[in-house]
Amino acid sequence: MSSASETMTPNRESTNRAAGARDTGPAGGAGTRSGKWRWLAFGAVITAAVMDLLDSTITQVAAPTIRSELGGSYAVIEWVTAAYALAMAVGLLTGGRLGDIFGRRRVLLTGMAGFVLASAACAAAQSAGELIGARAAQGLLGAIMLPQVFGLIRDMFEAHEMGKAFGVYGPVMGLSAMLGPIAAGGLISANVLGTGWRMIFLVNVPVGLAALALGARTLPAGLSGGAGAGEGRPRRLDLPGALLAGTAMFLLVFPLAQGHSLGWPAWLFAMMAASVPVLAGFGWYQVRRQRAGRDPLVEPSVFRHRPYSAGIVFSIVFTGSLGGIVMIFNVFLQNGLGFTPWHSAVTTAPWAAGAFIGSAVGGIAMAKLGRRVLLAGLVVEAAGLVGIYAVLHVAGGGVSTVDLLAPMVIGGIGMGMVFVPLFDIVMAGIRPQEMGSASGVLQTVNSLGMSLGIAGIGAIFFALAGGHGQHVPVYLHAAEWTALATIVLLAGSFVIGFALPRRTRS
């Protein structure tokens, strides 16, 4: 599930393993797959993934508080989260290639160090613009870290041990997703040493530094690409391709996020229209670069698989629906009903708990049911959102945490049933030599879909809310229509889902 094709050149680690050598510890940062040090190294690797996951979600709870302190339009609420996701989408395609060229260990540690610095910059931000810029830097550095995680896990463990490693990885990530927003709400409400929302970024500093020290000591040295698979030639970064892809994404997301606050001037529509030819130019350049014998950022051949292409569209629409959930769960609860960040986090915790349950259901059922588990998950999630809509419509401004408990759990179960099987189903028809590029594109469109969803549905939400402060009926109206818009996106995903591969990849 890495962002780029991953190859290993001969190194001390593989030589020792071939000779049946016993692990002698992480001397020089190297270890073998057979040694105890790999589990400590695994701890450093999984910490990077957890930091990335938490920082992609915790600001959803904090965004209203951040805006009230730093000021700015309601677009600030959208950009605090969308800037991270957009930068992640832009950087993921390149991040995997960096691991191939310079070595996954080196790139992971460099990315972690930069992520810690960017987190400190977020905590120190004195204006909304500074924070959004630091969040974008976090996203780019997260895009450098994340592709290395899966590659390093594969490097450190034998094939028959992968199940054990990912058996630890999955629950840790699931618990992090569930507890992250609750922890964020608690940290903000606790106001430790007067830091308020800044503490959600400051906690990355000691955690990241500890992981860096552990990784530098235990991660295997020499696990790197440096050459194309079987090609004997060095890989090179496709910087023009990365620039074209990033430009196309920005041209599409920026107008959606800023449209309401700027009054939708004509030049924003021109930006969105310009994203189409820029994206087409990116595709043309990738084909031309491949024909010239150079490494493209994306292997064009992956899009010849129609089920995979359908999966890309499915992923964008599905992850876009999460933007509606962000608006309902955090902006409405805090800005509309006046919930504190802690109260908001506790209210939304049942959704995360349901997602944890749904993830287990999806993981168990995907081999037998294939794409049907995705379709069932979409129906269950839509049912939960219909329940949320009904509760808001009936209870009105008196809605409570208890009122939302059942539909939150149901909706979360449905979402979890989709997330876990999605990768294996979308990638079912991809050939081994295309796996790196195909997985990188899939991760990228997931981040892009999140950015588009937050920006697009956020534009609907704030247009209906109209910036009327604590005017509860107006926010209720906006939340109800946002729930309906999210259900429409889930219905679109359901229709597209019939074009996906029937079974998971072997």
Side-chain angles (χ1 to χ4, degrees):
M1 195 167 160
S2 170
S3 296
S5 55
E6 289 156 340
T7 56
M8 287 176 56
T9 53
N11 52 61
R12 171 185 159 186
E13 185 266 354
S14 58
T15 302
N16 285 349
R17 186 172 69 252
R22 182 174 57 88
D23 179 45
T24 58
T32 72
R33 291 190 187 191
S34 61
K36 63 181 181 179
W37 292 100
R38 62 184 174 169
W39 286 105
L40 290 175
F42 179 71
V45 170
I46 204 170
T47 299
V50 168
M51 287 197 302
D52 166 71
L53 173 65
L54 292 180
D55 277 76
S56 67
T57 58
I58 56 176
T59 52
Q60 298 167 9
V61 174
T65 302
I66 291 171
R67 177 187 170 272
S68 67
E69 180 177 323
L70 298 183
S73 69
Y74 279 98
V76 170
I77 292 177
E78 300 171 63
W79 274 113
V80 165
T81 299
Y84 186 97
L86 179 60
M88 172 74 73
V90 170
L92 272 171
L93 293 174
T94 303
R97 294 293 192 197
L98 290 174
D100 288 335
I101 295 170
F102 298 108
R104 284 181 279 275
R105 175 183 183 272
R106 182 187 303 171
V107 172
L108 177 74
L109 295 178
T110 301
M112 287 177 68
F115 195 88
V116 168
L117 291 174
S119 299
C122 288
Q126 298 301 309
S127 68
E130 290 179 11
L131 177 59
I132 291 170
R135 285 286 289 165
Q138 265 194 321
L140 283 172
L141 290 157
I144 291 175
M145 291 193 305
L146 192 59
Q148 319 315 322
V149 169
F150 301 102
L152 281 168
I153 291 174
R154 285 202 296 265
D155 288 341
M156 291 188 296
F157 293 92
E158 299 285 358
H160 68 277
E161 297 174 313
M162 288 296 174
K164 184 186 296 185
F166 282 103
V168 175
Y169 179 88
V172 168
M173 298 303 286
L175 285 172
S176 299
M178 182 174 67
L179 299 177
I182 299 175
L187 287 171
I188 296 168
S189 297
N191 194 25
V192 180
L193 300 177
T195 54
W197 58 266
R198 299 175 190 275
M199 183 54 69
I200 67 174
F201 299 113
L202 284 174
V203 294
N204 284 337
V205 176
V207 172
L209 290 176
L212 267 173
L214 182 63
R217 174 67 177 161
T218 62
L219 278 172
L223 294 182
S224 64
E231 296 170 359
R233 60 179 174 82
R235 289 187 179 274
R236 297 185 183 275
L237 280 179
D238 179 10
L239 293 179
L243 181 61
L244 283 170
T247 301
M249 294 177 197
F250 180 79
L251 288 172
L252 186 58
V253 174
F254 180 85
L256 291 172
Q258 293 292 130
H260 177 66
S261 62
L262 296 178
W264 291 105
W267 59 270
L268 286 181
F269 292 99
M271 282 184 69
M272 284 191 286
S275 68
V276 177
V278 174
L279 187 59
F282 169 73
W284 171 82
Y285 178 75
Q286 294 303 286
V287 172
R288 181 182 178 186
R289 186 177 177 91
Q290 185 185 50
R291 289 175 177 173
R294 294 179 292 170
D295 292 313
L297 198 62
V298 175
E299 295 290 342
S301 62
V302 300
F303 297 104
R304 297 180 191 138
H305 304 280
R306 290 187 178 180
Y308 173 80
S309 297
I312 293 298
V313 178
F314 179 95
S315 296
I316 292 177
V317 177
F318 174 70
T319 55
S321 70
L322 301 182
I325 295 169
V326 170
M327 292 299 129
I328 298 170
F329 287 5
N330 297 300
V331 181
F332 165 67
L333 292 177
Q334 294 183 50
N335 284 27
L337 299 183
F339 284 20
T340 64
W342 171 247
H343 191 181
S344 175
V346 171
T347 301
T348 59
W351 183 282
F356 187 65
I357 296 170
S359 297
V361 173
I364 293 170
M366 66 179 183
K368 182 177 181 180
L369 298 180
R371 74 183 182 196
R372 287 178 291 176
V373 74
L374 297 183
L375 300 176
L378 291 170
V379 172
V380 174
E381 183 179 359
L385 283 166
V386 169
I388 291 172
Y389 172 86
V391 168
L392 295 180
H393 191 72
V394 173
V399 65
S400 68
T401 299
V402 175
D403 294 330
L404 293 169
L405 177 60
M408 285 275 191
V409 172
I410 293 170
I413 289 173
M415 188 183 77
M417 289 173 65
V418 177
F419 260 121
V420 168
L422 180 59
F423 179 87
D424 283 318
I425 291 174
V426 172
M427 301 286 287
I430 297 299
R431 295 175 296 181
Q433 64 269 32
E434 298 170 328
M435 282 293 295
S437 188
S439 62
V441 172
L442 185 57
Q443 287 179 316
T444 297
V445 299
N446 282 340
S447 294
L448 178 61
M450 174 67 85
S451 297
L452 290 172
I454 292 172
I457 297 185
I460 297 172
F461 181 91
F462 290 119
L464 293 171
H468 291 290
Q470 298 294 323
H471 192 28
V472 175
V474 174
Y475 270 97
L476 269 171
H477 178 68
E480 290 172 6
W481 277 99
T482 299
L484 292 176
T486 305
I487 293 169
V488 169
L489 288 177
L490 293 177
S493 300
F494 185 85
V495 173
I496 300 167
F498 286 97
L500 298 179
R502 292 179 179 271
R503 296 292 178 185
T504 62
R505 67 187 178 93
S506 57

